[in-house]
PDB file of all heavy atoms in Angstrom:
ATOM      1  N   VAL J  81       4.746  36.491  -6.608  1.00 90.00           N
ATOM      2  CA  VAL J  81       3.814  37.528  -6.125  1.00 90.00           C
ATOM      3  C   VAL J  81       2.787  37.797  -7.219  1.00 90.00           C
ATOM      4  O   VAL J  81       3.142  37.952  -8.385  1.00 90.00           O
ATOM      5  CB  VAL J  81       4.599  38.821  -5.784  1.00 90.00           C
ATOM      6  CG1 VAL J  81       3.643  39.950  -5.454  1.00 90.00           C
ATOM      7  CG2 VAL J  81       5.539  38.580  -4.622  1.00 90.00           C
ATOM      8  N   SER J  82       1.540  37.839  -6.822  1.00 91.00           N
ATOM      9  CA  SER J  82       0.468  38.081  -7.792  1.00 91.00           C
ATOM     10  C   SER J  82       0.582  39.492  -8.346  1.00 91.00           C
ATOM     11  O   SER J  82       0.753  40.452  -7.593  1.00 91.00           O
ATOM     12  CB  SER J  82      -0.877  37.896  -7.090  1.00 91.00           C
ATOM     13  OG  SER J  82      -1.874  38.615  -7.768  1.00 91.00           O
ATOM     14  N   PHE J  83       0.491  39.626  -9.693  1.00 88.00           N
ATOM     15  CA  PHE J  83       0.560  40.941 -10.313  1.00 88.00           C
ATOM     16  C   PHE J  83      -0.630  41.806  -9.914  1.00 88.00           C
ATOM     17  O   PHE J  83      -0.497  43.001  -9.724  1.00 88.00           O
ATOM     18  CB  PHE J  83       0.536  40.825 -11.851  1.00 88.00           C
ATOM     19  CG  PHE J  83       1.694  40.074 -12.448  1.00 88.00           C
ATOM     20  CD1 PHE J  83       1.587  39.524 -13.710  1.00 88.00           C
ATOM     21  CD2 PHE J  83       2.901  39.943 -11.761  1.00 88.00           C
ATOM     22  CE1 PHE J  83       2.648  38.852 -14.302  1.00 88.00           C
ATOM     23  CE2 PHE J  83       3.963  39.254 -12.332  1.00 88.00           C
ATOM     24  CZ  PHE J  83       3.828  38.713 -13.603  1.00 88.00           C
ATOM     25  N   SER J  84      -1.802  41.175  -9.830  1.00 85.00           N
ATOM     26  CA  SER J  84      -3.003  41.987  -9.624  1.00 85.00           C
ATOM     27  C   SER J  84      -3.330  42.187  -8.153  1.00 85.00           C
ATOM     28  O   SER J  84      -3.924  43.204  -7.790  1.00 85.00           O
ATOM     29  CB  SER J  84      -4.196  41.331 -10.324  1.00 85.00           C
ATOM     30  OG  SER J  84      -4.395  40.017  -9.828  1.00 85.00           O
ATOM     31  N   LEU J  85      -2.955  41.240  -7.304  1.00 87.00           N
ATOM     32  CA  LEU J  85      -3.314  41.363  -5.880  1.00 87.00           C
ATOM     33  C   LEU J  85      -2.160  41.915  -5.051  1.00 87.00           C
ATOM     34  O   LEU J  85      -2.343  42.209  -3.862  1.00 87.00           O
ATOM     35  CB  LEU J  85      -3.741  39.996  -5.315  1.00 87.00           C
ATOM     36  CG  LEU J  85      -4.920  39.328  -6.037  1.00 87.00           C
ATOM     37  CD1 LEU J  85      -5.197  37.959  -5.443  1.00 87.00           C
ATOM     38  CD2 LEU J  85      -6.178  40.184  -5.931  1.00 87.00           C
ATOM     39  N   HIS J  86      -0.979  41.990  -5.640  1.00 86.00           N
ATOM     40  CA  HIS J  86       0.212  42.526  -4.953  1.00 86.00           C
ATOM     41  C   HIS J  86       0.475  41.791  -3.644  1.00 86.00           C
ATOM     42  O   HIS J  86       0.762  42.412  -2.616  1.00 86.00           O
ATOM     43  CB  HIS J  86       0.051  44.030  -4.680  1.00 86.00           C
ATOM     44  CG  HIS J  86      -0.197  44.842  -5.908  1.00 86.00           C
ATOM     45  ND1 HIS J  86       0.793  45.252  -6.742  1.00 86.00           N
ATOM     46  CD2 HIS J  86      -1.353  45.283  -6.452  1.00 86.00           C
ATOM     47  CE1 HIS J  86       0.270  45.941  -7.745  1.00 86.00           C
ATOM     48  NE2 HIS J  86      -1.030  45.957  -7.591  1.00 86.00           N
ATOM     49  N   ARG J  87       0.362  40.502  -3.669  1.00 89.00           N
ATOM     50  CA  ARG J  87       0.616  39.699  -2.471  1.00 89.00           C
ATOM     51  C   ARG J  87       1.114  38.335  -2.917  1.00 89.00           C
ATOM     52  O   ARG J  87       0.898  37.931  -4.060  1.00 89.00           O
ATOM     53  CB  ARG J  87      -0.640  39.566  -1.618  1.00 89.00           C
ATOM     54  CG  ARG J  87      -1.773  38.856  -2.338  1.00 89.00           C
ATOM     55  CD  ARG J  87      -3.083  38.952  -1.613  1.00 89.00           C
ATOM     56  NE  ARG J  87      -3.055  38.433  -0.290  1.00 89.00           N
ATOM     57  CZ  ARG J  87      -4.008  37.631   0.235  1.00 89.00           C
ATOM     58  NH1 ARG J  87      -5.044  37.285  -0.497  1.00 89.00           N
ATOM     59  NH2 ARG J  87      -3.934  37.205   1.452  1.00 89.00           N
ATOM     60  N   PRO J  88       1.793  37.605  -1.992  1.00 91.00           N
ATOM     61  CA  PRO J  88       2.284  36.288  -2.402  1.00 91.00           C
ATOM     62  C   PRO J  88       1.142  35.384  -2.886  1.00 91.00           C
ATOM     63  O   PRO J  88       0.064  35.358  -2.270  1.00 91.00           O
ATOM     64  CB  PRO J  88       2.907  35.747  -1.110  1.00 91.00           C
ATOM     65  CG  PRO J  88       3.268  36.957  -0.334  1.00 91.00           C
ATOM     66  CD  PRO J  88       2.202  37.973  -0.654  1.00 91.00           C
ATOM     67  N   VAL J  89       1.413  34.673  -3.964  1.00 94.00           N
ATOM     68  CA  VAL J  89       0.400  33.781  -4.546  1.00 94.00           C
ATOM     69  C   VAL J  89      -0.040  32.731  -3.523  1.00 94.00           C
ATOM     70  O   VAL J  89      -1.221  32.411  -3.405  1.00 94.00           O
ATOM     71  CB  VAL J  89       0.964  33.102  -5.815  1.00 94.00           C
ATOM     72  CG1 VAL J  89       0.077  31.967  -6.285  1.00 94.00           C
ATOM     73  CG2 VAL J  89       1.121  34.128  -6.921  1.00 94.00           C
ATOM     74  N   SER J  90       0.938  32.204  -2.763  1.00 93.00           N
ATOM     75  CA  SER J  90       0.587  31.154  -1.796  1.00 93.00           C
ATOM     76  C   SER J  90      -0.421  31.668  -0.781  1.00 93.00           C
ATOM     77  O   SER J  90      -1.364  30.943  -0.424  1.00 93.00           O
ATOM     78  CB  SER J  90       1.854  30.652  -1.089  1.00 93.00           C
ATOM     79  OG  SER J  90       2.567  31.749  -0.579  1.00 93.00           O
ATOM     80  N   GLU J  91      -0.276  32.912  -0.357  1.00 91.00           N
ATOM     81  CA  GLU J  91      -1.239  33.489   0.593  1.00 91.00           C
ATOM     82  C   GLU J  91      -2.620  33.586  -0.031  1.00 91.00           C
ATOM     83  O   GLU J  91      -3.631  33.262   0.598  1.00 91.00           O
ATOM     84  CB  GLU J  91      -0.802  34.898   1.003  1.00 91.00           C
ATOM     85  CG  GLU J  91       0.110  34.967   2.194  1.00 91.00           C
ATOM     86  CD  GLU J  91       0.406  36.401   2.561  1.00 91.00           C
ATOM     87  OE1 GLU J  91      -0.438  37.285   2.344  1.00 91.00           O
ATOM     88  OE2 GLU J  91       1.522  36.655   3.070  1.00 91.00           O
ATOM     89  N   ALA J  92      -2.662  34.069  -1.280  1.00 92.00           N
ATOM     90  CA  ALA J  92      -3.954  34.242  -1.939  1.00 92.00           C
ATOM     91  C   ALA J  92      -4.641  32.888  -2.108  1.00 92.00           C
ATOM     92  O   ALA J  92      -5.862  32.756  -1.885  1.00 92.00           O
ATOM     93  CB  ALA J  92      -3.745  34.902  -3.302  1.00 92.00           C
TER      94      ALA J  92
END
Side-chain angles (χ1 to χ4, degrees):
Chain J
V81 173
S82 156
F83 297 159
S84 59
L85 302 177
H86 303 278
R87 61 191 302 225
V89 168
S90 52
E91 271 184 30

